[in-house]
Amino acid sequence: MSFTAQQIQSFKKIETPFYYYDLRVLRATLEIVQQYSKQYEYVVHYALKANANLRILHLIEKYGLGADCVSGNEVLRAVEAGFSPSHIAFAGVGKTDKEILTGLRHHIFSFNCESVQELEVINELAAQINTKARIALRLNPNVEADTHHYITTGLHENKFGISLQDLPAILDKMAQLKNLELTGIHFHIGSQITNLDNFKKLCLKINEIVKFFDEKQIKLTHINVGGGLGIDYLQPNVNPIADFANYFGVFHQYLQRRPHQAIHFELGRAIVAQCGSLISKVLFVKEGQQKKFAIIDAGMTELIRPALYQAHHEIEALTPEATTATVYDIVGPICESSDCFGTDRKLPTLQRGDLVAIRSAGAYGEVMASQYNLREKVRVLYNE
Ligand code: LLP
């Protein structure tokens, strides 16, 4: 059991469901990230989309990470949390004029751009307010990520990035856009990537692309390799911290870096996933025709990953006193059959009122919560 009797007692005082963030796990993770980024002089941006909780952001900012945002509101949240705008990258395939203006007014580090039209609009808006925008072109490297197809982003069939064949024409166009300054190139091939060979392939592709820029005598001051490092959803207690050593090691080994170039990363999941659990209470235990259901008070409204991506999250019963085990489908209260956190899970026998913890829920959990069925906003508890 990964929770102490004292923690379980404290859980009983709070109305469920709630997210429980263990900030000690987050700090331990950030220390490792800091160690490697210093060792290799890498710049790590935290991808706010994974978890934009202010308390968590404050802590991440203290460890010197930059921010990676995908909306105007994320840019504003990052600024509110204390991130310097000069460390904020703003990505996203569909930025509105209002969002672009937010980024321009804060003089952010870079707009990661994905189309000619986007470049034209940013140029026009920058001219209107008499400023220049720093641009990183998001390129589609056509590199496989071996992950769920919904979170694969770097293939020709995906909507993301500029295809390499369009690059020469885009560079010609950019030369005419006087309120833009090309500073870097950006990639992101997908998320929850555990086979590091995919990152090696990305590095080799980037090396070819950088050669092309060298030939054109275009100086890129930064290469942003995106995020995507996966975590161990099956064994969160055995591997509470992602394999940053080998991940950064792959880039160190395979990415050829020019002396003037900074290497940037945008990590979300690997930083925050393991510090969060969704704590929920068993409402009813129901004997079906073929199955036993444990119906809990958290639903896909609080954690949509299992319903949306068939994602696996470990489920732990917080019942130290239970002596027998039973196989359950753990389901939520929402009126959808996809509202299921796990099928055929063997757990200590559950009673009404028992607590369960859905693990590895710190990333893409709270941020993706919805009010469907007029659910209440999910509560949060922190362990300092
Ligand atoms: N940079 C870009 C451009 C991205 O699109 C993403 C994630 C990241 C960085 C951060 O990726 P990470 O290090 O967290 O893998 N909701 C899904 C994940 C969606 C990821 C979207 N993009 C899930 O729950 O698995």
Side-chain angles (χ1 to χ4, degrees), residues 47 49-50 68 70 91-92 112 114 138 150-151 153 160 186-188 190-193 226-230 233 266-270 305 308-309 363-365 368:
K49 63 176 83 63
D68 162 42
V70 283
N112 297 347
E114 311 214 8
R138 177 170 181 177
Y150 281 9
I151 50 178
T153 50
F160 299 100
H186 171 228
F187 303 85
H188 175 75
S191 196
Q192 183 51 20
I193 299 169
L229 174 61
Y233 279 102
E266 298 171 340
L267 293 166
R269 186 189 319 264
R305 303 194 69 258
L308 192 55
Y309 318 109
Y364 307 109
M368 292 180 82

Side-chain angles (χ1 to χ4, degrees), residues 42 141-146 187 189 193-209 225 227-229 246-256 265:
Y42 286 157
N142 199 29
V143 169
E144 183 59 71
D146 287 334
F187 303 85
I189 56 172
I193 299 169
T194 48
N195 179 357
L196 296 182
D197 212 40
N198 294 307
F199 292 115
K200 173 182 166 186
K201 286 184 192 139
L202 173 64
C203 290
L204 301 179
K205 199 56 166 271
I206 296 176
N207 292 343
E208 282 172 33
I209 294 170
V225 298
L229 174 61
N246 282 316
Y247 172 70
F248 288 123
V250 165
F251 288 91
H252 181 64
Q253 190 175 351
Y254 296 105
L255 188 64
Q256 291 160 5
F265 292 80

Side-chain angles (χ1 to χ4, degrees), residues 51-105:
N51 189 320
N53 177 305
L54 258 183
R55 188 83 170 265
I56 285 180
L57 293 182
H58 278 305
L59 190 57
I60 293 174
E61 190 280 324
K62 283 208 179 75
Y63 279 80
L65 278 74
D68 162 42
C69 301
V70 283
S71 71
N73 283 344
E74 281 193 0
V75 171
L76 294 173
R77 177 68 63 89
V79 171
E80 183 188 353
F83 288 90
S84 158
S86 64
H87 294 144
I88 295 179
F90 183 8
V93 65
K95 304 175 184 76
T96 65
D97 292 13
K98 184 175 160 189
E99 291 177 314
I100 292 168
L101 283 167
T102 299
L104 288 171
R105 292 200 175 103

Side-chain angles (χ1 to χ4, degrees), residues 127-189:
Q128 273 170 27
I129 62 167
N130 209 10
T131 187
K132 253 188 158 182
R134 287 184 281 257
I135 304 291
L137 291 176
R138 177 170 181 177
L139 304 175
N140 186 328
N142 199 29
V143 169
E144 183 59 71
D146 287 334
T147 185
H148 192 281
H149 61 283
Y150 281 9
I151 50 178
T152 294
T153 50
L155 291 176
H156 283 328
E157 67 202 51
N158 302 128
K159 70 180 173 185
F160 299 100
I162 291 165
S163 88
L164 294 176
Q165 69 192 37
D166 295 339
L167 188 55
I170 290 211
L171 292 175
D172 289 344
K173 176 84 205 172
M174 273 191 88
Q176 301 157 23
L177 303 175
K178 299 298 173 209
N179 289 71
L180 303 185
E181 181 192 353
L182 178 63
T183 58
I185 48 176
H186 171 228
F187 303 85
H188 175 75
I189 56 172

Side-chain angles (χ1 to χ4, degrees), residues 12 23 34 52 55 106 109-110 123 142 146 148 153 176 197 209 241 263 286 302 309 318 333 350 375:
K12 290 190 173 152
L23 301 182
Q34 199 177 44
R55 188 83 170 265
H106 282 90
F109 168 71
S110 79
N123 181 63
N142 199 29
D146 287 334
H148 192 281
T153 50
Q176 301 157 23
D197 212 40
I209 294 170
I241 300 185
I263 308 297
K286 174 169 152 177
E302 284 70 47
Y309 318 109
L318 307 184
L350 294 166
R375 300 277 291 173

Side-chain angles (χ1 to χ4, degrees), residues 4-14 355:
T4 63
Q6 210 179 3
Q7 280 172 315
I8 297 172
Q9 273 314 315
S10 71
F11 294 169
K12 290 190 173 152
K13 296 187 189 129
I14 296 165
L355 293 177

Side-chain angles (χ1 to χ4, degrees), residues 358-377:
I358 304 174
R359 304 290 310 281
S360 315
Y364 307 109
E366 189 190 343
V367 269
M368 292 180 82
S370 79
Q371 264 68 63
Y372 180 42
N373 287 193
L374 290 189
R375 300 277 291 173
E376 285 179 21
K377 197 165 181 297

